[in-house]
Amino acid sequence: MAKLSIVKVKLDREVNGYIVSCAGTKEAVVIDPGLPVEKIVEQLKGIKVRYILATHCHPGHVAGKDALKEAAGGETGLHPADAKQFLRSADRYLIDGDELEFGEFKVNVLHTPGHTPGSVCYVIANHAFVGDTLLAGGIGKQTPETDLRRQMMSIGTKLLRLPLTTALYPGHGPASSLERELAQNPVFRGAPAPR
């Protein structure tokens, strides 16, 4: 069975960047390429970057994408709604249901609008990289482009359909699990149990 390696990189603005690699092939995906890029690059020794993906286009989560591509290669990807909102470009514009292969794994794209219009979560095996859609104990802070109603709908219609054992890797703070967040996160108070 293929083995997945996940390295969390603490970046500026308290952003979590992630390097997710296939142990067998040494191919990787970098999620939320913030700054400084050097902190990400130093973790890439012996790894081939296939994709550089942003969960959303707030600067802390995407500011390093072009410099990282120049240093490590790989295709950049983000949702077209955020590309338009924040005037960002990418090699690939990702929509709900897209799949990207790296090594022996697939990245499944879930469009989870709300925090920003183009917020997405990336699911790899039983790991979900959720950006600021859902944090341990809360959700990402609201900004002018946040639509809280849509964000809650995204959580309910996309994230709550994942298995309860899914590990959650947010854009800020510690990792968690869907089961733990359902039990402890105030955003789920009064929510019906998932089916």
Side-chain angles (χ1 to χ4, degrees), residues 65-111:
K65 97 176 157 54
D66 295 329
L68 183 59
K69 177 181 173 145
E70 193 172 302
E75 287 185 57
T76 59
L78 46 90
H79 193 277
D82 267 18
K84 183 177 179 182
Q85 174 91 21
F86 298 98
L87 303 177
R88 296 278 185 177
S89 64
D91 298 318
R92 296 179 84 135
Y93 295 100
L94 305 171
I95 60 171
D96 193 68
D98 280 354
E99 289 185 346
L100 304 171
E101 293 185 15
F102 73 102
E104 298 176 44
F105 292 93
K106 283 184 182 169
V107 179
N108 294 295
V109 179
L110 300 180
H111 183 214

Side-chain angles (χ1 to χ4, degrees), residues 134-138 155 160 164-166 168 176-194:
L134 185 64
L135 306 179
I155 291 168
L160 289 184
L164 286 176
T165 55
T166 302
L168 303 176
S176 188
S177 70
L178 191 54
E179 187 170 34
R180 183 179 309 136
E181 292 311 303
L182 270 170
Q184 299 175 1
N185 193 318
V187 303
F188 294 116
R189 287 208 179 107

Side-chain angles (χ1 to χ4, degrees), residues 143-156:
T143 59
E145 59 277 349
T146 299
D147 181 335
L148 187 57
R149 186 186 63 78
R150 279 188 87 192
Q151 187 168 352
M152 295 308 294
M153 285 178 60
S154 291
I155 291 168

